[in-house]
Amino acid sequence: MKKLLEKTHEAWLATLMTAFMAKNAKSKQTLFEFSDIMFRHFTWIEHDLIVRGMDYDYDRDHIPIKVERLKTMTDNLLSRISDLELLTIECEDENLRHRIESDLSYISKVIASIPDESVEAFDMNRKYGDVELSREATDALTLFLFEESYKEYELIMIYNYLKAHSDDEFINRIFQIMVDESFFHLRSFCQMMSDMGILGVPRVIHRSLYSVEDMESFLRDGIEEETAAKEQCRELSDAVAADSEELASFFDFINYQESYHIDLMKEALEYYTSSKSDK
Amino acid sequence: MANPKNYGSMDDADAIGIGENPQNGEKVIIYLRVNEKDGESPLIEDIAFQAIGCMTTVVAGSIITGEAKGIDFDVAEQLVAVTLGMLENVAPEEAACSEMVALSLKAAMDTYSRRKEEPDLPAMIYKIENNCVTENSDNGGENR
């Protein structure tokens, strides 16, 4: 089951990255939907591991994605799905196995029919559409996208892990919102990276990040980091404002979203603190 | 940045070393697979690293582990010394990332060497002297 979790994790990310590469709108949408399904498979397998009391982590292998044709990636996805189909034998829960197998069977048929196209997500053009950015603004945006795409992936995995290990309805509502918001940010940043020819898979996160022992300290640090991220968005917005109103407005929007995340984390912190004092 | 070299963990590592920034909790973990022949300096056959930190740390990790792969401990000690020496003329906040990588490599080699006498010795942790005050925050990028 641990192998199935790891390989599903890799297939999810590979499918998501392929979606960012695709320029054909229908292919892109299909791949996004399938990556969402694979992430759900990941959470189901994780839940099964927890129920069975098995130790697991979020380690995974390197996922090569630097290709020139989309078909290279779709062929790779089909091979990953074949491997997953063989690994589902590890699933003792028959209903879960059947659900995953049925999804994978359909997904592989559709992926096989995705039309080939050239991939420009790695051409290092570092231009965002028609926007003419200065060298400094381009460098700042490039660094921001690399840092933040990883951070959003990290957040998805951390909050997913915390949610998987909590049966508290109040706190899980907050964790789920954070996962959903981080997915939106990850998609936005990775799509920009693809458009700028600098797409990359977020690096593997270390276990110490998601296996949180002191929740209050984690939330306090998280609030500080969100505050710093807000400032970074504001600085980036200022840096690109002269060149692109569209980009400046996008980073202002992300900045305001961080305020909401801070409120949610404060809410969670207050909940933890008061629960502790009630005991 | 898109594809750092040698990034990840190593299941069958012979030694692990950690470089840590005590100011913000950032860490670099280095994994070594070592081949040692009698009378010769141990050879770094394979190396991997993981970073809990910023992109600069990841880039520094990619470069330094790339240099360390395939060299023996004597040369790797020189690599650590040269790296730390170069940082003397760099602003502390810029030096912190590379210092953390260099010290984690040193910690991994020291762990390997000392385990010959203390087989149960846990991974050694060396703390950096430069303070990394990033634009981001000073709490290490661990949660956001």
Side-chain angles (χ1 to χ4, degrees):
Chain A
M1 277 297 273
K2 279 194 278 188
K3 197 74 180 166
L4 180 62
L5 184 84
E6 184 186 327
K7 293 298 152 192
T8 303
H9 188 171
E10 290 165 12
W12 157 50
L13 284 176
T15 308
L16 185 61
M17 292 295 133
T18 311
F20 295 127
M21 294 173 209
K23 294 186 287 285
N24 177 302
K26 192 180 169 203
S27 304
K28 186 183 277 298
Q29 187 58 34
T30 302
L31 288 160
F32 275 139
E33 301 293 352
F34 288 166
S35 75
D36 283 346
I37 291 173
M38 286 187 196
F39 179 72
R40 284 200 289 278
H41 288 180
F42 177 81
T43 62
W44 297 341
I45 298 161
E46 180 179 29
H47 178 71
D48 199 51
L49 282 163
I50 293 169
V51 169
R52 291 173 198 282
M54 293 170 77
D55 185 40
Y56 68 95
D57 57 41
Y58 288 164
D59 280 358
R60 58 173 166 83
D61 285 339
H62 172 64
I63 302 169
I65 58 165
K66 205 167 177 182
V67 297
E68 291 179 358
R69 307 290 312 179
L70 198 71
K71 191 170 187 317
T72 312
M73 276 312 291
T74 51
D75 284 350
N76 175 268
L77 294 180
L78 292 174
S79 157
R80 288 180 184 279
I81 291 169
S82 297
D83 291 347
L84 288 178
E85 285 172 331
L86 292 174
L87 283 169
T88 51
I89 199 159
E90 292 180 7
C91 247
E92 286 176 38
D93 181 332
E94 274 190 35
N95 288 333
L96 176 62
R97 189 173 70 223
H98 179 71
R99 245 189 295 164
I100 292 175
E101 283 172 347
S102 165
D103 285 351
L104 292 179
S105 164
Y106 177 73
I107 287 171
S108 59
K109 274 183 206 138
V110 177
I111 285 181
S113 70
I114 287 178
D116 190 21
E117 54 178 282
S118 65
V119 171
E120 280 144 33
F122 310 101
D123 66 7
M124 306 281 280
N125 69 76
R126 295 213 299 151
K127 284 195 161 216
Y128 185 66
D130 297 330
V131 178
E132 286 290 332
L133 292 176
S134 67
R135 175 71 189 265
E136 289 74 20
T138 303
D139 288 348
L141 180 59
T142 303
L143 188 59
F144 175 89
L145 291 173
F146 273 108
E147 292 274 16
E148 292 304 309
S149 58
Y150 165 72
K151 290 289 179 191
E152 298 301 343
Y153 167 68
E154 186 183 282
L155 278 184
I156 291 168
M157 302 314 287
I158 291 173
Y159 285 110
N160 180 68
Y161 187 89
L162 296 177
K163 184 169 167 274
H165 289 267
S166 162
D167 53 9
D168 186 313
E169 208 175 299
F170 179 87
I171 216 74
N172 277 355
R173 182 188 69 88
I174 293 177
F175 290 158
Q176 185 59 52
I177 295 171
M178 298 298 276
V179 169
D180 293 342
E181 295 267 317
S182 298
F183 259 114
F184 171 72
H185 287 189
L186 180 70
R187 278 196 186 187
S188 304
F189 297 153
C190 283
Q191 192 55 57
M192 288 176 83
M193 291 171 85
S194 177
D195 294 343
M196 291 173 70
I198 53 169
L199 183 63
V201 184
R203 60 187 188 272
V204 178
I205 69 169
H206 194 263
R207 186 174 189 150
S208 62
L209 291 177
Y210 51 86
S211 187
V212 176
E213 284 173 10
D214 182 346
M215 186 57 77
E216 283 181 41
S217 162
F218 165 79
L219 288 167
R220 279 199 182 89
D221 289 349
I223 289 166
E224 273 185 46
E225 281 207 37
E226 290 280 354
T227 308
K230 268 177 68 65
E231 181 58 22
Q232 209 182 7
C233 280
R234 195 194 57 73
E235 282 173 10
L236 197 58
S237 170
D238 290 348
V240 300
D243 303 319
S244 168
E245 199 181 314
E246 179 199 339
L247 271 182
S249 138
F250 172 73
F251 286 112
D252 283 340
F253 159 66
I254 298 288
N255 178 358
Y256 299 139
Q257 284 208 317
E258 306 291 7
S259 305
Y260 175 49
H261 300 170
I262 290 170
D263 286 345
L264 282 171
M265 291 170 91
K266 281 182 178 168
E267 207 180 319
L269 180 60
E270 200 178 305
Y271 180 77
Y272 270 108
T273 316
S274 63
S275 309
K276 213 160 118 182
S277 61
D278 287 348
K279 281 177 188 168
Chain B
M1 286 194 288
N3 190 11
K5 289 185 187 121
N6 308 313
Y7 196 88
S9 60
M10 191 188 283
D11 288 338
D12 53 350
D14 294 312
I16 297 173
I18 299 168
E20 187 180 64
N21 183 342
Q23 303 283 338
N24 62 12
E26 285 191 350
K27 278 188 194 78
V28 171
I29 303 132
I30 282 204
Y31 305 84
L32 296 182
R33 188 176 305 127
V34 180
N35 185 0
E36 187 170 7
K37 290 180 184 155
D38 280 348
E40 289 180 17
S41 175
L43 186 78
I44 299 175
E45 208 166 60
D46 201 4
I47 184 167
F49 80 103
Q50 284 185 299
I52 299 171
C54 66
M55 205 67 221
T56 314
T57 308
V58 175
V59 173
S62 177
I63 295 169
I64 293 173
T65 58
E67 292 293 322
K69 199 172 196 169
I71 63 176
D72 64 35
F73 275 23
D74 291 344
V75 181
E77 290 282 359
Q78 289 170 29
L79 173 67
V80 171
V82 168
T83 305
L84 295 176
M86 279 165 51
L87 299 177
E88 284 171 10
N89 301 320
V90 178
E93 64 272 20
E94 291 170 18
C97 303
S98 299
E99 187 189 1
M100 205 152 52
V101 178
L103 286 186
S104 61
L105 174 57
K106 169 93 178 120
M109 290 191 291
D110 288 353
T111 303
Y112 179 85
S113 301
R114 284 192 47 189
R115 272 198 186 152
K116 287 175 182 168
E117 314 218 325
E118 298 173 69
D120 297 330
L121 183 79
M124 295 177 72
I125 303 172
Y126 290 156
K127 296 185 192 303
I128 64 167
E129 289 175 5
N130 287 293
N131 186 16
C132 171
V133 183
T134 63
E135 285 174 31
N136 235 348
S137 75
D138 56 4
N139 66 356
E142 289 203 17
N143 300 78
R144 222 212 76 74

